[in-house]
């Protein structure tokens, strides 16, 4: 029995001496950092899925591409796109497109391989192939320094085209086609946030991608500065340009034409690198032109002014 006059120390478990010796574990970890939490498992699964997608993207960039479908295959063969094999499913109904595809492939020395439909499903990744698939090898890009060398050796003022964030391969193909039509010496793409030369871009370029040197720059802004240091003037297409295309007096000199992305136009750093920005006058109430059309208008004007100077 306790003596009312005595003093007793704190009792274990009462928040006394023993509890003073306990060490805290710190703040509670986030849900995504706790292995047994559903949020952690979801985040981990998402990370693994993104890793798989990234590996597939890299494989697609470094490996051949297979164009699927009768119309796309025939269009690619008509455009002269390099190809290594034409796959034809056994037992398909051979209409005019199939016959033309086989004839074009044979004429160009492309292997024509008959395969089971299931095998063609696998080759095309389950796409709607209609019994035809065309294997296209990866595009071989030039180096940016090669473009300037080609331009300076041409005997004409250098004219290069740079694309700043054009992500639609059809727009890319159309710009390449315009560049070839109006005397440009090469096209440069940024390594990131840009379409590449896929079969779609090949087809839209109407085969001119085979003749137009196309390079990839690790850093587009730095590459533009290097060309500026080499004596080229940098102009960017912009709806709020310093001058409109009628006042483009730089047209006949060494030039780089920069085309912005479909949505946001020129990026800030690229725009700051330009010596001049150029707009295209249009009727009131008309939306701005897309990237490839705007590039074609300006390149046509540059070609016109250069012809006039030569006639002199």
């Amino acid at each position: 029995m306790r003596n009312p006059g005595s003093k007793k120390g704190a009792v274990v478990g009462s928040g006394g001496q023993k509890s003073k010796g306990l060490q805290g574990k710190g703040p509670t970890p986030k849900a995504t950092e706790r292995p047994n939490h559903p949020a952690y498992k979801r985040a981990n699964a998402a990370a693994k899925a993104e890793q798989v997608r990234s590996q597939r993207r890299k494989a697609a960039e470094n490996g051949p591409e297979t164009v699927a479908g009768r119309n796309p295959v025939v269009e690619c063969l008509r455009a002269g796109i390099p190809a290594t094999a034409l796959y034809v499913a056994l037992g398909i109904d051979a209409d005019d497109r199939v016959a033309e595809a086989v004839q074009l492939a044979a004429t160009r020395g492309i292997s024509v391989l008959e395969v089971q439909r299931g095998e063609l499903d696998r080759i095309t990744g389950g796409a709607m192939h209609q019994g035809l698939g065309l294997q296209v090898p990866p595009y071989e890009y030039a180096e940016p320094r090669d473009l300037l060398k080609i331009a300076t050796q041409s005997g004409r003022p250098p004219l290069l085209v740079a694309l700043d964030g054009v992500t639609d391969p059809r727009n890319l193909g159309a710009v390449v086609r315009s560049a070839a039509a109006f005397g440009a010496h090469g096209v440069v793409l940024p390594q990131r946030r840009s379409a590449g030369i896929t079969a779609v871009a090949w087809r839209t370029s109407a085969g001119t991608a085979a003749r137009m040197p196309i390079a990839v720059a690790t850093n587009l802004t730095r590459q533009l500065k290097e060309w500026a240091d080499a004596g080229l003037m940098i102009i960017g297409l912009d709806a709020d340009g310093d001058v409109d295309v009628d006042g483009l007096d730089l047209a006949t000199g060494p030039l780089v034409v920069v085309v912005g992305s479909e949505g946001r136009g020129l990026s800030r750093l690229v725009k700051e690198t330009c010596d001049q920005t150029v707009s295209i006058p249009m009727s009131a109430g008309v939306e701005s032109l897309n990237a490839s059309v705007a590039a074609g208008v300006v390149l046509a004007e540059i070609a016109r002014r250069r012809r006039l100077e030569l006639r002199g």
Side-chain angles (χ1 to χ4, degrees):
M1 185 173 178
R2 180 178 175 186
N3 184 345
S6 68
K7 259 181 128 179
K8 184 179 178 184
V11 179
V12 173
S14 66
Q17 292 175 346
K18 186 68 176 177
S19 65
K20 292 178 182 178
L22 295 174
Q23 298 294 321
K25 296 182 180 180
T28 302
K30 296 177 181 178
T32 54
E33 297 174 354
R34 290 148 57 191
N36 293 323
H37 197 285
Y40 174 89
K41 295 176 181 178
R42 287 195 299 269
N44 195 37
K48 288 181 178 178
E50 177 56 32
Q51 184 178 14
V52 171
R53 286 193 294 269
S54 177
Q55 290 172 347
R56 286 176 178 172
R57 282 196 299 268
K58 289 180 180 178
E61 291 170 1
N62 298 326
E65 176 186 3
T66 303
V67 179
R70 298 189 182 190
N71 284 337
V73 166
V74 170
E75 288 172 7
C76 285
L77 289 168
R78 287 174 181 169
I81 292 176
T84 53
L86 173 67
Y87 296 102
V88 183
L90 289 166
I92 63 169
D93 294 330
D95 62 8
D96 291 343
R97 292 168 298 175
V98 174
E100 183 179 358
V102 171
Q103 182 180 8
L104 288 170
T107 301
R108 291 177 48 196
I110 298 169
S111 299
V112 179
L113 306 174
E114 289 189 301
V115 295
Q116 296 291 342
R117 182 173 288 274
E119 177 64 8
L120 189 53
D121 290 340
R122 185 192 65 78
I123 292 171
T124 59
M128 186 68 71
H129 53 68
Q130 300 173 300
L132 284 186
L134 185 69
Q135 190 175 72
V136 179
Y139 183 80
E140 294 185 11
Y141 292 95
E143 293 292 330
R145 62 174 178 272
D146 297 334
L147 302 189
L148 184 57
K149 184 177 180 181
I150 292 168
T152 53
Q153 292 177 348
S154 69
R156 297 178 285 120
L159 176 59
L160 302 175
V161 178
L163 275 63
D164 179 22
V166 173
T167 56
D168 187 333
R170 290 166 297 185
N171 274 338
L172 169 57
V175 171
V176 170
R177 187 173 184 177
S178 293
F182 299 118
H185 299 101
V187 175
V188 65
L189 316 174
Q191 191 172 58
R192 299 176 59 196
R193 293 186 294 275
S194 175
I197 299 297
T198 62
V200 173
W202 266 108
R203 196 164 70 242
T204 312
S205 79
T208 55
R211 303 187 296 275
M212 173 62 58
I214 301 170
V216 173
T218 305
N219 184 302
L220 182 60
T221 303
R222 185 165 62 237
Q223 184 58 57
L224 292 174
K225 289 179 179 177
E226 288 181 13
W227 283 338
D229 291 341
L232 279 70
M233 300 298 288
I234 315 296
I235 66 167
L237 308 192
D238 187 75
D240 301 315
D242 305 326
V243 299
D244 62 30
V245 70
D246 297 333
L248 184 54
D249 296 331
L250 298 175
T252 56
L255 202 60
V256 181
V257 178
V258 188
V259 183
S261 70
E262 296 91 344
R264 59 186 174 84
L266 298 172
S267 61
R268 180 180 60 83
L269 291 176
V270 167
K271 190 171 182 178
E272 291 174 355
T273 307
C274 293
D275 297 296
Q276 192 174 69
T277 53
V278 183
S279 63
I280 299 171
M282 294 191 299
S283 300
V286 179
E287 292 185 4
S288 60
L289 303 172
N290 74 10
S292 60
V293 174
V297 170
V298 173
L299 289 170
E301 175 62 14
I302 291 170
R304 185 188 72 83
R305 291 187 179 226
R306 292 187 171 199
R307 288 195 303 271
L308 289 175
E309 184 173 81
L310 283 174
R311 292 169 187 168

